[in-house]
Amino acid sequence: MKRTGISVLMATLSLMAMSCADTPPTGNGGGSVGGNGSGIDLPASTKVLNTTTLQGLEAVSEDQSTLTFRMGGSQLEGFHVGDIIVSDVAEPLLPYGMLRRIEAVEETGDQVVLRTGETGLAQAIENGELHARIPLALVEGTGGGKLVPSMAGPGQLIFPFNDVVLFDGDKDDATTGDQIIMNGNLTLEPEIIIDIVISNFSLEKAAIEIVGDTSASITIEARRQATFSYDDILIPPIPFPKVVIPIGPIPVVFVPILEIRGGANGSFSAGITADIQLDADTRVGLGYDGSFGPILEVNPTGSAGVPSFLDGASADGEVWLSARYKVAVYGLAGAYVES
């Protein structure tokens, strides 16, 4: 059995496209510079925080609406209402970088306080493109307990399921004869594909996709008669390393996150053991090409081994596994896709 679904939160690309119909920033003081893509043009109102300015950053509110700097540094003197400020990752205050529009500049004693609001890449960049394909790897120390993912090779992630309890008749872990358990593993080979095209302060195209091979080998063992339903998170959200890709001098910070879910339901008259195999090529994501829409391609192949029944036993049920990916940009809630 297989279950395929997709859910999309469009905040990420919506922010990229935000105010595309508004009057674009004036000037082109940034000129054309090298970087990812060609013909990168920036308005004079887009300013990337330099090292001196970041060293003077003293506080950032949780929503990045307020930034407090120590007075000093020529870049601070050039900040004006309406400017867009961009930052690369700057630990600890900007762990995911930043893309914000200045709404107010306040000088208090020896500090400069910037009040900021949301903005998008299409407001910060006049013309530019970003194209990248990056294998996703695990952050060191990911996982815990029985469910510890591992790297089997470059870009290949293995998630083991060891005695995952889907049903427990008396809800007592000490007694196992009344349980339905799952063993096996899920293997993913995910890559993130990013394509963004901005022309004349307008988002022409944007796509964030997760592609790769997915395979699973699962064994379900029922040790008693039961009718049950299970749907839960098998492995809590796992962050991948941050991905920083420049569009010219603009650092764009992506944070992919993965969550493994699983479920099963069925009716078992007595003991049964069943083996399930699944392989699929998947492409899931969120795309913009004049309008927003999901990207979902799943080409599965699978098989269920002949179950091993106790005498007189019968069973009817299904099992599913779900890999849910989320991609946040500058730490903002982003798109999430599930296959």
Side-chain angles (χ1 to χ4, degrees), residues 6-8 210 284-286 295 323-326 335-339:
I6 183 166
S7 302
V8 179
I210 303 288
V284 293
L286 175 66
I295 300 166
R324 173 180 288 187
Y325 298 95
K326 172 181 176 181
Y336 75 79
V337 291
E338 182 174 346
S339 68

Side-chain angles (χ1 to χ4, degrees), residues 7-17 286-288 291-294 327 333-336:
S7 302
V8 179
L9 297 177
M10 296 190 293
T12 297
L13 296 185
S14 294
L15 283 172
M16 291 181 183
L286 175 66
Y288 177 87
S291 61
F292 287 105
V327 180
Y336 75 79

Side-chain angles (χ1 to χ4, degrees), residues 106-252:
E106 303 170 2
E107 296 185 9
T108 57
D110 61 350
Q111 294 179 325
V112 175
V113 177
L114 302 183
R115 310 292 181 185
T116 71
E118 294 179 345
T119 190
L121 284 176
Q123 283 290 289
I125 299 169
E126 182 176 358
N127 298 293
E129 300 183 12
L130 188 160
H131 306 286
R133 181 169 185 147
I134 303 167
L136 297 182
L138 293 172
V139 174
E140 186 176 353
T142 296
K146 294 182 178 180
L147 304 177
V148 181
S150 62
M151 293 285 294
Q156 187 178 69
L157 316 179
I158 296 179
F159 299 85
F161 305 116
N162 301 319
D163 293 335
V164 176
V165 178
L166 305 179
F167 175 84
D168 192 335
D170 62 6
K171 303 188 186 313
D172 183 355
D173 292 339
T175 58
T176 61
D178 58 348
Q179 294 178 341
I180 297 175
I181 63 171
M182 177 174 69
N183 283 284
N185 61 72
L186 174 68
T187 301
L188 306 174
E189 298 181 31
E191 293 181 299
I192 182 171
I193 298 177
I194 301 168
D195 286 296
I196 299 172
V197 178
I198 297 172
S199 177
N200 194 28
F201 298 104
S202 178
L203 186 69
E204 297 295 322
K205 175 185 177 183
I208 298 176
E209 305 174 46
I210 303 288
V211 301
D213 295 330
T214 301
S215 61
S217 177
I218 301 297
T219 297
I220 302 296
E221 180 184 357
R223 298 171 176 172
R224 55 154 286 172
Q225 179 179 347
T227 298
F228 75 104
S229 179
Y230 175 90
D231 183 352
D232 202 0
I233 298 174
L234 295 177
I235 297 179
I238 296 170
F240 291 99
K242 300 163 192 171
V243 178
V244 182
I245 307 173
I247 304 182
I250 302 294
V252 185

Side-chain angles (χ1 to χ4, degrees), residues 243-307:
V243 178
V244 182
I245 307 173
I247 304 182
I250 302 294
V252 185
V253 184
F254 297 89
V255 185
I257 298 171
L258 170 65
E259 175 185 278
I260 304 295
R261 301 182 64 90
N265 63 71
S267 178
F268 298 84
S269 66
I272 177 178
T273 300
D275 297 314
I276 301 168
Q277 305 288 330
L278 173 68
D279 292 286
D281 295 323
T282 62
R283 177 183 294 268
V284 293
L286 175 66
Y288 177 87
D289 188 6
S291 61
F292 287 105
I295 300 166
L296 176 60
E297 297 177 13
V298 180
N299 301 303
T301 61
S303 64
V306 177

Side-chain angles (χ1 to χ4, degrees), residues 15-53:
L15 283 172
M16 291 181 183
M18 181 181 292
S19 304
C20 286
D22 294 347
T23 302
T26 58
N28 190 25
S32 297
V33 296
N36 192 296
S38 59
I40 309 298
D41 298 318
L42 301 181
S45 55
T46 296
K47 295 165 182 176
V48 181
L49 300 189
N50 61 34
T51 301
T52 301
T53 301

